[in-house]
Structures are given as structure tokens and as C-alpha cells.
């Protein structure tokens, strides 16, 4: 093999290796725009009505709702999935989405299958628990 052919073969190996490395890198995801100033100063306020009574929860977004102890809003209800639903802030709008839960999520008595924009007073039914979205308030 002459030196010219060896250089071409080496160059081909380098190009193939680079192409393989580039193709195996994870795709860069577009970052969601978060309104960090809003979330730093305010929290989402939720009124939670359960069998044991009513409580008010203030939490920054994202808020996970479910039976798991790691959920931001933990609900002890056998009809609630471990991670049942999630509240996100995207481009200044709060949305609720069901996380493929077993029994579904209702907003104002309607089942949801796509993210829904939350408005003050919206009632979220998850299992036997009713959560009322009260809006934003001071983080305390």
C-alpha cells in the first residue's frame, strides 16, 4: 500500500469515527422559556380538599401531583397514580397536564388529554381529591 492510499484510508476512518460520534450524541432539546422572576417571587396557590379536610398549598412550579412521597403535592388516595399530573409554567402561562394516570384528571368536571391552561377558580379533580387553583401569591 502506498503512502497516499494509507492517508486516504486513515482520513476515511477519522471521518467515519467523527460521523459516528456526532450521530450518537443526544439531540439538543429546545429549552422551555420559564419566567424565573415570577416563580422566584410568587408561588402557585392551591386549595386541596381531601377526606381529612382542607389545606392550602403554596409551591413553585413545576408542581407534580400524585401519591408518591416525592411529589410536590402528595395525595394519599388509592385512586391517584404515583405521579398523576403536573403544573408547568411555559411562556408565562400555567398549564396542567395528566401524566398518563390510570384514572385520569378532570378540570372543571371535564377529562383532559392535552395540557390545559389554568385560570383562577379552576377545579381539578384527581381521584377523590378536589384541588382549586387560587392563582399566584406571595411565596411564604
Amino acid at each position: 500500500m502506498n503512502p497516499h492510499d494509507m492517508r486516504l484510508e486513515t482520513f476515511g476512518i477519522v471521518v467515519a469515527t467523527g460521523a459516528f460520534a456526532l450521530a450518537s450524541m443526544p439531540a439538543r432539546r429546545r429549552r422551555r422559556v420559564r419566567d424565573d422572576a415570577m416563580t422566584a417571587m410568587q408561588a402557585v396557590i392551591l386549595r386541596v380538599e381531601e377526606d381529612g379536610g382542607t389545606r392550602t398549598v403554596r409551591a413553585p412550579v413545576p408542581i407534580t401531583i400524585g401519591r408518591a412521597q416525592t411529589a410536590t403535592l402528595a395525595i394519599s388516595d388509592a385512586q391517584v397514580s404515583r405521579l398523576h399530573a403536573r403544573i408547568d409554567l411555559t411562556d408565562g402561562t400555567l398549564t396542567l397536564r395528566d401524566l398518563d394516570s390510570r384514572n385520569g384528571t378532570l378540570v372543571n368536571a371535564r377529562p383532559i388529554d392535552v395540557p390545559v391552561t389554568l385560570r383562577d377558580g379552576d377545579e381539578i379533580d384527581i381521584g377523590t381529591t378536589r384541588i382549586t387553583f387560587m392563582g399566584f401569591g406571595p411565596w411564604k
Side-chain angles (χ1 to χ4, degrees):
M1 188 179 262
N2 71 38
H4 179 72
D5 290 339
M6 285 178 56
R7 275 190 238 136
L8 281 176
E9 186 176 349
T10 302
F11 179 75
I13 292 171
V14 169
V15 169
T17 304
F20 175 78
L22 186 61
S24 63
M25 290 177 65
R28 189 170 184 192
R29 295 182 184 174
R30 186 176 154 224
R31 295 183 67 181
R32 288 186 169 180
V33 178
R34 261 183 57 184
D35 192 344
D36 288 330
M38 181 184 287
T39 58
M41 296 172 46
Q42 295 188 350
V44 174
I45 303 171
L46 304 169
R47 185 178 65 226
V48 182
E49 299 172 40
E50 304 170 277
D51 288 337
T54 301
R55 61 184 164 133
T56 300
V57 175
R58 285 180 169 80
V61 289
I63 298 171
T64 53
I65 304 168
R67 207 179 58 229
Q69 290 181 352
T70 57
T72 311
L73 175 55
I75 299 172
S76 59
D77 179 342
Q79 294 181 24
V80 175
S81 297
R82 282 185 222 117
L83 291 176
H84 197 102
R86 181 180 166 119
I87 297 173
D88 288 300
L89 179 66
T90 306
D91 298 328
T93 303
L94 280 174
T95 57
L96 172 75
R97 66 182 166 109
D98 185 82
L99 298 176
D100 296 324
S101 65
R102 181 180 30 158
N103 293 318
T105 302
L106 304 174
V107 175
N108 299 323
R110 293 191 175 120
I112 64 170
D113 55 2
V114 296
V116 173
T117 300
L118 289 176
R119 292 179 174 72
D120 289 355
D122 279 349
E123 294 181 343
I124 304 162
D125 291 311
I126 295 178
T128 61
T129 302
R130 172 158 292 163
I131 302 166
T132 304
F133 173 63
M134 305 301 290
F136 280 111
W139 177 251
K140 289 184 181 182

